[in-house]
Amino acid sequence: MAPLCYISITLAAALLITVASAGNFNQDFDITWGEGRARILNDGNLLTLSLDKTSGSGFQSKNEYLFGKIDMQLKLVPGNSAGTVTAYYLSSQGATHDEIDFEFLGNLSGDPYTLHTNVYSQGKGGREQRFNLWFDPTADFHTYSILWNPQRIIFSVDGTPIREYKNPESVGVSYPKNQAMKIYSSLWNADDWATRGGLVKTDWSKAPFTASYRNFSADACVWSSGSSSCGSTSPPESGNSGWLNEELDSTSQERLKWVQKNYMIYNYCGDAKRFPQGFPPECAINGSA
């Protein structure tokens, strides 16, 4: 695994050159485990992960990124997916790692998937929000996006924001901004906790379980050999770096409120039983986001 990578970028860094890539799985990713259960197909345009009773599988990006907009289309495990977890996330390495998570928790046929999100900074997570999706994520491909800039992290599904996590440094909480992260994804068995707190176990008669990926794209700052592709002070060569200072406009804020009102099933900033001494400091600016 790559070592921790650090770069000093201030919130005032506005004139940057980004690298935009429309992905090919052969060029952009390495299969890291699974002994043949992960496959790259269709000339690099499709990747599948499989899980059976022996093992799951996973892959990671060749590049590391420090800020960017990452899109991936996924089609999740169909049918009875209880006990399975499909994880898709950005992460650095080490005890004080940063991480930005999508996790899809399988369920019994006919019950909704749970979409679990989390943000780690300096090795500390516990910032969960969970959602039910408003569509069947197994019937077709849907786009899951992470926009990560120095001011905020926005999780989106098919272009609809579901969560905004604002930089909480103003209230003394660290924020992921100094460690470059790779993209990871895996399909694995977690029936000790994934479905109804572990009450529903994986039905191995339904194996192998398969999740599919396509249309990866990264409009992002690539970190390589100790420097960032966004290290230039020259003006951007294209208009693709708008994500660097992007925030939710009024329409997107309304869509975010719609998702959180109708589909959010857990918010750590509202869990008084978990935090009887008071909510974490970042909840003051991220209480409903």
Side-chain angles (χ1 to χ4, degrees):
M1 292 292 184
L4 287 175
C5 296
Y6 295 90
I7 183 172
S8 177
I9 289 186
T10 69
L11 295 183
L15 298 177
L16 303 177
I17 295 175
T18 64
V19 172
S21 66
N24 179 286
F25 287 108
N26 283 318
Q27 297 173 5
D28 297 324
F29 291 90
D30 292 317
I31 292 172
T32 49
W33 62 287
E35 298 180 336
R37 292 171 180 82
R39 302 173 65 201
I40 297 175
L41 307 166
N42 297 357
D43 297 321
N45 293 312
L46 179 70
L47 188 150
T48 61
L49 294 181
S50 291
L51 163 69
D52 57 33
K53 198 168 187 178
T54 302
S55 177
S57 51
F59 64 89
Q60 70 181 43
S61 63
K62 297 179 188 291
N63 285 331
E64 292 182 295
Y65 304 95
L66 187 62
F67 306 129
K69 185 175 186 297
I70 309 296
D71 298 323
M72 185 84 79
Q73 289 194 330
L74 281 74
K75 183 163 68 171
L76 299 178
V77 174
N80 182 1
S81 58
T84 71
V85 172
T86 306
Y88 157 53
Y89 58 103
L90 290 163
S91 183
S92 58
Q93 297 298 307
T96 58
H97 75 290
D98 294 340
E99 189 172 321
I100 304 170
D101 288 346
F102 276 115
E103 288 186 319
F104 304 90
L105 313 184
N107 216 329
L108 295 169
S109 297
D111 289 345
Y113 261 79
T114 298
L115 172 52
H116 174 103
T117 66
N118 205 347
V119 176
Y120 285 75
S121 180
Q122 295 294 309
K124 183 180 187 305
R127 302 179 176 100
E128 304 94 343
Q129 287 188 0
R130 300 189 191 105
F131 305 83
N132 289 332
L133 294 171
W134 53 95
F135 54 85
D136 179 357
T138 74
D140 203 350
F141 286 89
H142 293 269
T143 303
Y144 302 91
S145 305
I146 295 170
L147 185 148
W148 169 37
N149 67 29
Q151 297 85 28
R152 57 186 44 81
I153 296 162
I154 300 173
F155 298 78
S156 298
V157 178
D158 289 337
T160 294
I162 64 168
R163 178 178 188 180
E164 179 183 25
Y165 182 80
K166 299 173 185 174
N167 184 330
E169 290 177 304
S170 63
V171 293
V173 178
S174 63
Y175 178 78
K177 68 172 189 177
N178 296 317
Q179 300 183 42
M181 297 195 266
K182 288 190 173 185
I183 302 165
Y184 296 87
S185 191
S186 58
L187 174 57
W188 50 292
N189 177 48
D191 66 3
D192 56 334
W193 65 271
T195 306
R196 298 183 186 175
L199 294 176
V200 182
K201 301 301 183 182
T202 303
D203 182 357
W204 293 111
S205 72
K206 307 297 184 184
F209 304 98
T210 301
S212 302
Y213 302 73
R214 72 180 188 189
N215 291 348
F216 161 73
S217 68
D219 184 6
C221 303
V222 175
W223 174 261
S224 179
S225 301
S227 64
S228 169
S229 64
C230 294
S232 172
T233 56
S234 303
E237 293 178 339
S238 71
N240 292 335
S241 60
W243 56 263
L244 183 67
N245 296 295
E246 185 171 334
E247 56 187 71
L248 297 176
D249 61 20
S250 58
T251 299
S252 294
Q253 289 174 3
E254 288 304 312
R255 294 166 77 189
L256 174 66
K257 291 176 183 177
W258 173 79
V259 171
Q260 297 199 333
K261 178 181 178 181
N262 294 287
Y263 297 99
M264 186 164 68
I265 57 175
Y266 178 80
N267 180 3
Y268 80 107
C269 283
D271 192 344
K273 184 178 294 186
R274 179 178 169 185
F275 301 107
Q277 304 305 315
F279 295 118
E282 69 271 17
C283 292
I285 57 173
N286 284 303
S288 61

Short mmCIF file of all heavy atoms in Angstrom, two decimals, residues 2-3 6 16 37 42 57 74 77 80 106 131 149 186 191 234 252 280:
data_model
loop_
_atom_site.label_atom_id
_atom_site.label_comp_id
_atom_site.label_asym_id
_atom_site.label_seq_id
_atom_site.Cartn_x
_atom_site.Cartn_y
_atom_site.Cartn_z
N ALA A 2 0.36 2.31 -0.56
CA ALA A 2 1.11 3.55 -0.61
C ALA A 2 1.19 4.17 0.77
O ALA A 2 0.28 4.04 1.58
CB ALA A 2 0.46 4.53 -1.57
N PRO A 3 2.31 4.85 1.10
CA PRO A 3 2.42 5.52 2.39
C PRO A 3 1.54 6.75 2.42
O PRO A 3 1.04 7.23 1.41
CB PRO A 3 3.91 5.92 2.44
CG PRO A 3 4.28 6.07 1.00
CD PRO A 3 3.50 5.01 0.27
N TYR A 6 1.37 13.77 2.21
CA TYR A 6 0.92 15.06 2.75
C TYR A 6 1.23 16.18 1.76
O TYR A 6 2.22 16.16 1.05
CB TYR A 6 1.63 15.37 4.08
CG TYR A 6 1.26 14.41 5.16
CD1 TYR A 6 2.00 13.25 5.36
CD2 TYR A 6 0.13 14.63 5.97
CE1 TYR A 6 1.65 12.35 6.35
CE2 TYR A 6 -0.22 13.73 6.95
CZ TYR A 6 0.54 12.61 7.14
OH TYR A 6 0.19 11.71 8.11
N LEU A 16 -6.02 26.51 -9.83
CA LEU A 16 -5.37 25.21 -9.92
C LEU A 16 -5.70 24.53 -11.23
O LEU A 16 -6.72 24.78 -11.84
CB LEU A 16 -5.84 24.30 -8.76
CG LEU A 16 -5.62 24.85 -7.34
CD1 LEU A 16 -6.18 23.88 -6.33
CD2 LEU A 16 -4.15 25.09 -7.07
N ARG A 37 -12.21 -13.48 -8.45
CA ARG A 37 -13.62 -13.07 -8.25
C ARG A 37 -13.89 -11.66 -8.75
O ARG A 37 -15.05 -11.28 -8.89
CB ARG A 37 -13.99 -13.22 -6.78
CG ARG A 37 -14.03 -14.68 -6.31
CD ARG A 37 -14.20 -14.78 -4.80
NE ARG A 37 -14.22 -16.18 -4.38
CZ ARG A 37 -13.14 -16.91 -4.18
NH1 ARG A 37 -11.93 -16.37 -4.36
NH2 ARG A 37 -13.24 -18.17 -3.82
N ASN A 42 -15.20 -6.17 -21.18
CA ASN A 42 -15.61 -5.21 -22.22
C ASN A 42 -14.53 -4.15 -22.49
O ASN A 42 -14.79 -2.95 -22.48
CB ASN A 42 -16.93 -4.52 -21.84
CG ASN A 42 -18.09 -5.48 -21.74
OD1 ASN A 42 -17.95 -6.67 -22.00
ND2 ASN A 42 -19.24 -4.97 -21.34
N SER A 57 -14.07 -9.83 -2.88
CA SER A 57 -13.09 -9.32 -3.83
C SER A 57 -13.06 -7.80 -3.77
O SER A 57 -13.95 -7.16 -3.21
CB SER A 57 -13.41 -9.79 -5.26
OG SER A 57 -14.75 -9.53 -5.61
N LEU A 74 -22.69 2.20 -10.32
CA LEU A 74 -22.76 0.88 -9.71
C LEU A 74 -24.13 0.27 -9.94
O LEU A 74 -25.15 0.98 -9.93
CB LEU A 74 -22.53 0.94 -8.19
CG LEU A 74 -21.12 1.06 -7.64
CD1 LEU A 74 -20.56 2.46 -7.85
CD2 LEU A 74 -21.11 0.71 -6.15
N VAL A 77 -25.80 -5.81 -5.83
CA VAL A 77 -26.18 -7.22 -5.76
C VAL A 77 -27.70 -7.34 -5.73
O VAL A 77 -28.36 -6.78 -4.85
CB VAL A 77 -25.58 -7.88 -4.51
CG1 VAL A 77 -26.10 -9.31 -4.35
CG2 VAL A 77 -24.06 -7.85 -4.55
N ASN A 80 -31.81 -11.48 -2.82
CA ASN A 80 -31.53 -11.56 -1.39
C ASN A 80 -30.04 -11.27 -1.17
O ASN A 80 -29.20 -12.15 -1.28
CB ASN A 80 -31.89 -12.95 -0.86
CG ASN A 80 -31.65 -13.06 0.64
OD1 ASN A 80 -31.23 -12.11 1.29
ND2 ASN A 80 -31.92 -14.24 1.19
N GLY A 106 -26.66 -4.78 2.18
CA GLY A 106 -27.67 -5.61 1.53
C GLY A 106 -28.85 -5.93 2.44
O GLY A 106 -28.80 -5.74 3.66
N PHE A 131 -29.23 6.15 4.77
CA PHE A 131 -30.37 6.48 3.92
C PHE A 131 -30.96 5.21 3.32
O PHE A 131 -30.24 4.24 3.07
CB PHE A 131 -29.93 7.39 2.76
CG PHE A 131 -29.23 8.65 3.19
CD1 PHE A 131 -27.87 8.64 3.47
CD2 PHE A 131 -29.92 9.84 3.31
CE1 PHE A 131 -27.21 9.78 3.87
CE2 PHE A 131 -29.27 11.00 3.71
CZ PHE A 131 -27.91 10.97 3.99
N ASN A 149 -13.72 19.10 -1.74
CA ASN A 149 -12.87 20.28 -1.90
C ASN A 149 -12.49 20.81 -0.52
O ASN A 149 -12.87 20.23 0.50
CB ASN A 149 -13.54 21.32 -2.81
CG ASN A 149 -14.79 21.96 -2.23
OD1 ASN A 149 -14.94 22.08 -1.02
ND2 ASN A 149 -15.70 22.37 -3.11
N SER A 186 -14.98 -2.79 -2.58
CA SER A 186 -14.93 -4.21 -2.22
C SER A 186 -16.35 -4.73 -2.01
O SER A 186 -17.27 -3.98 -1.71
CB SER A 186 -14.10 -4.44 -0.96
OG SER A 186 -14.62 -3.70 0.13
N ASP A 191 -22.19 -10.36 7.67
CA ASP A 191 -23.51 -10.72 8.23
C ASP A 191 -23.53 -10.70 9.75
O ASP A 191 -24.58 -10.94 10.35
CB ASP A 191 -24.01 -12.05 7.67
CG ASP A 191 -23.18 -13.26 8.08
OD1 ASP A 191 -22.21 -13.10 8.86
OD2 ASP A 191 -23.51 -14.37 7.62
N SER A 234 -0.91 28.74 -12.23
CA SER A 234 -1.45 29.23 -13.49
C SER A 234 -2.96 29.08 -13.50
O SER A 234 -3.52 28.23 -12.80
CB SER A 234 -0.84 28.44 -14.66
OG SER A 234 0.56 28.53 -14.65
N SER A 252 -30.17 22.79 -5.30
CA SER A 252 -29.53 21.61 -4.72
C SER A 252 -29.81 21.51 -3.23
O SER A 252 -29.98 20.41 -2.69
CB SER A 252 -28.03 21.65 -4.98
OG SER A 252 -27.75 21.54 -6.36
N PRO A 280 -21.13 16.01 19.04
CA PRO A 280 -19.79 16.42 18.62
C PRO A 280 -19.78 17.85 18.09
O PRO A 280 -20.79 18.34 17.55
CB PRO A 280 -19.46 15.42 17.51
CG PRO A 280 -20.28 14.21 17.82
CD PRO A 280 -21.56 14.76 18.39
#
